[in-house]
Every structure is written in structure tokens, then in C-alpha cells.
Amino acid sequence: MTAARRERLRALLAAQPSPVDALLVTSLVDVRYLSGFSGSNAALLVPADDADDAVLATDGRYVTQAGAESPDLPLVVTRAVAAVLVEQAAGRGLAQVGFDETTVTVAQVAALQRAAPRTRLVPVGPVVPGLRAEKDDVELAAVAAACRVADEALAASLAEDRWVGATERQVAARLEWRMRELGAEAAAFETIVGAGPGAAVPHHRPTDRALARGDLVVVDFGARVDGYHSDMTRTFVVGPPAAWQQEVFDVVRAAQRAGRAALRAGVACADVDAAARDVVVAAGLGDRFGHGLGHGVGLEIHEAPQVGPGATGSMAARMTVTVEPGVYLPERGGVRIEDTLVVSDGSSTSLTTTRRDLHVLV
Ligand code: ZN
Ligand code: ZN
């Protein structure tokens, strides 16, 4: 599986404006994607010519793990993973070595250059993150599993936990515990539970405020399974909704539906954003929707592609992206609805399936 990914990378390296002899991969998620290795200190050298094998480097703590996760790759054991791989590249006659300047510091590049003074280090941009945007079958299965865990954890918590009167922090902790019980390695990110005024803050951090009658409650959470993330938001109301709450909710729900309907291979990322945003703007709430519509989800919770008003590029089949419009009214509350979807040729399919209506907590 990872060998096929390295083959796709080689094709991309050959198509670079300034072709390179090899790519030095230092971002740990990129290393994991291309090698299967998930330790915390690693680098990978991928020669552009497929007659030449890729080499994985990690330190002594991870030799056993590397053997299990990347049995097909030769291993270099060192703490200075990137520098030693660049030295090896020089020794193999690989004179031009590409790197992703969006993930490497100036100091790291200087250290690499000292390690291999005659090597030309070529910034090639986020080539591997671009590759990672389109998921293979193994990845789609992992994202779907992470979505299923989140759906099931929310259903179980709604059925069995007391929400009204519980604090934001308690609601978050119970959801995270349930995800772990259902097989998640971890929460995908710090669970957001925002009640009342907290619902008006898109990235609200849970507090000891208790959920009380009249609150809108925004819950944004996800699970991580096999390294892959899910991302979902549902909005609740404590007790019967006020007219303004139902109105805002209906606008966001219609926007989210429009965004999901627009999502398919070939459509510009900015157009997916616009499909949802137009609904919010038409309702006179455009200035209350202050973030992009969504983002790619995979080995990272936020990854390519970006789905916002200024986004470039277009959707491709097998991308997993979120659609998450929101409307936030400072001090009063807010509504966001978010799903993780997989893009296909004529349409898209939501991998998170919890109902999207305004669930009344009692
Ligand atoms: Zn989210
Ligand atoms: Zn999200």
C-alpha cells in the first residue's frame, strides 16, 4: 500500500518545474503516509528514479516499531534523521534533493546544507500533502471508521448521559470517553462544547458553565482511528427553541445542505464555499459567517484542500472534506452544522450520519 503511494509521488516529482533527484520527507504525517511508520522521530528519502529504493530513518527507540510498520524499507538508525539521509543521498549521487519548505525551518535547512555542502536543496512545496488529499481505499475505510465512532458516541451520550445541567466540560469529557470506548485512539482534537454565549465563539473551549434552558449548544468533535480523523458538529437547543433560534438554525441547515449538494469532483473549492455562503448572505447573515466552509480531513484534522472564499483548486474524487457553515451572534449564541464527506464523480457522500435537525435537549 505505501509502495503504491511512493510510486504516485515519483510521478509527481518527475513533473516538478525543477525536477529533483530525490525528495527528503520530514513531516511526520507525510513519513507515515509514505512508509507506514508512525513514530515521533523519522525522515524518509524517496529517490525520483524507481530503480532506487526509499530509505527510512529513525532513532534507536523505534527500531522494533519500524520493522513492524515498514518491513519493506531499509532502515537507518540515527537521531539526526534528516541530516543523515541527506548525507546518504549525496553518497548515492543524488545531487538535487527536494524538501517541503512549508514544514521545515530555516535553521533545519541550514543544518542540512552543512551536512551535505555539495547537495542542492530545492524547495518544492507541499507535494506530499497534495498527494494525501485524495485518499486510497485503506484511508477511506479509516476515515469512515472514525466518523462511525463519532456518530455512535454522540447517539450513546444523548441516550444515556444527562446533558441539561451538565457543564460544557462534562459533556465534552463524556463524548471523548465514549469515543475511546468505541475504539478511537483519541479524540480528533479538543472537543468543543459551547452553550449560550459560548455557542457564539467558533472555537470555544469548554468551561464549567452548565447547559441551561434557552441555550443553543454547539458540539464540535471527532475521533481518531488508525491515525485518521473525523470531524462533525451538531447544534442543540435546551428546551423549545425561540423563534430567532429556529430561524438561524434553518438558515445554517439550508446552507449546509447547499454546500453538500455542490460538493463533487471537478467543482472549484471556492464554488462549494459560495454555494453554502450564498444561502447565509441571502438571509442577511453573511457577516456572521466568518470562516471558510470546510477543509480536508485525513492524517491531519485540517489538511488540503481548503474550502473557503479565497480557495484555489478544485475537488477531486476520493477527497474527504468537511462542510461546516456557521452563524454566530455575539453574546446570544450560534449554530454550526458540520459533516465529513467523501467526494465522488457526480456527487458526495456524508460519512457522518447523525440527524441534522434541531435536537431539543430536555
Ligand atoms: Zn469540527
Ligand atoms: Zn472542521
Side-chain angles (χ1 to χ4, degrees):
M1 182 53 69
T2 58
R5 295 173 190 168
R6 294 193 296 275
E7 275 313 310
R8 284 177 64 209
L9 172 61
R10 287 189 171 106
L12 265 182
L13 291 179
Q16 286 293 306
S18 50
V20 293
D21 300 321
L23 182 70
L24 176 70
V25 182
T26 55
S27 150
L28 289 173
V29 281
D30 291 348
V31 170
R32 178 171 185 166
Y33 176 74
L34 293 168
S35 72
F37 178 67
S38 64
S40 71
N41 181 30
L44 186 74
L45 182 76
V46 184
D49 181 350
D50 65 358
D52 221 357
D53 222 343
V55 182
L56 176 67
T58 185
D59 66 64
R61 296 171 295 167
Y62 290 117
V63 172
T64 308
Q65 185 180 333
E69 292 180 335
S70 309
D72 55 335
L73 288 176
L75 182 67
V76 175
V77 182
T78 173
R79 285 205 76 84
V81 287
V84 169
L85 287 184
V86 171
E87 280 171 17
Q88 285 214 349
R92 289 159 76 174
L94 304 169
Q96 323 232 32
V97 175
F99 69 99
D100 177 359
E101 73 277 18
T102 67
T103 60
V104 176
T105 67
V106 173
Q108 285 168 329
V109 175
L112 292 177
Q113 196 66 82
R114 279 196 301 276
R118 285 138 79 101
T119 298
R120 196 163 85 85
L121 296 168
V122 184
V124 295
V127 174
V128 181
L131 208 57
R132 281 176 24 220
E134 293 170 41
K135 272 65 181 174
D136 58 37
D137 287 348
V138 171
E139 297 184 284
L140 289 180
V143 175
C147 288
R148 202 157 48 238
V149 165
D151 276 325
E152 288 177 8
L154 180 58
S157 182
L158 287 169
E160 294 165 32
D161 297 334
R162 188 174 58 90
W163 283 53
V164 180
T167 67
E168 294 172 345
R169 222 191 286 269
Q170 286 172 326
V171 172
R174 289 165 186 167
L175 266 178
E176 291 184 1
W177 178 81
R178 289 187 180 281
M179 289 193 289
R180 297 291 291 259
E181 279 282 301
L182 289 162
E185 297 160 347
F189 52 90
E190 260 185 73
T191 297
I192 296 168
V193 177
V201 180
H203 274 189
H204 178 72
R205 189 166 272 150
T207 69
D208 289 324
R209 186 190 190 283
L211 277 58
R213 195 173 175 82
D215 284 349
L216 286 169
V217 183
V218 171
V219 180
D220 187 349
F221 70 111
R224 197 181 81 211
V225 174
D226 292 337
Y228 286 81
H229 299 81
S230 64
D231 194 359
M232 169 165 81
T233 308
R234 290 294 183 268
T235 298
F236 305 90
V237 64
V238 183
W244 70 270
Q245 292 174 324
Q246 187 69 58
E247 280 166 28
V248 171
F249 186 90
D250 289 344
V251 169
V252 173
R253 185 170 51 178
Q256 209 253 358
R257 188 182 297 131
R260 284 187 283 120
L263 184 62
R264 60 184 177 278
V267 66
C269 294
D271 290 347
V272 180
D273 180 275
R277 194 170 303 275
D278 287 351
V279 174
V280 180
V281 170
L285 292 167
D287 59 342
R288 303 298 185 192
F289 176 15
H291 56 74
L293 183 68
H295 53 87
V297 181
L299 284 170
E300 294 177 288
I301 183 64
H302 294 124
E303 60 179 41
Q306 283 305 312
V307 189
T312 54
S314 45
M315 291 296 169
R318 295 179 165 272
M319 285 181 172
T320 43
V321 299
T322 68
V323 172
E324 50 177 307
V327 166
Y328 311 94
L329 306 174
E331 307 304 323
R332 297 177 75 193
V335 174
R336 179 165 68 253
I337 303 171
E338 173 181 28
D339 287 294
T340 299
L341 298 98
V342 57
V343 178
S344 55
D345 277 331
S347 64
S348 58
T349 307
S350 190
L351 299 174
T352 42
T353 58
T354 297
R355 293 174 59 111
R356 300 177 186 90
D357 51 357
L358 182 54
H359 183 117
V360 177
L361 300 167
V362 289

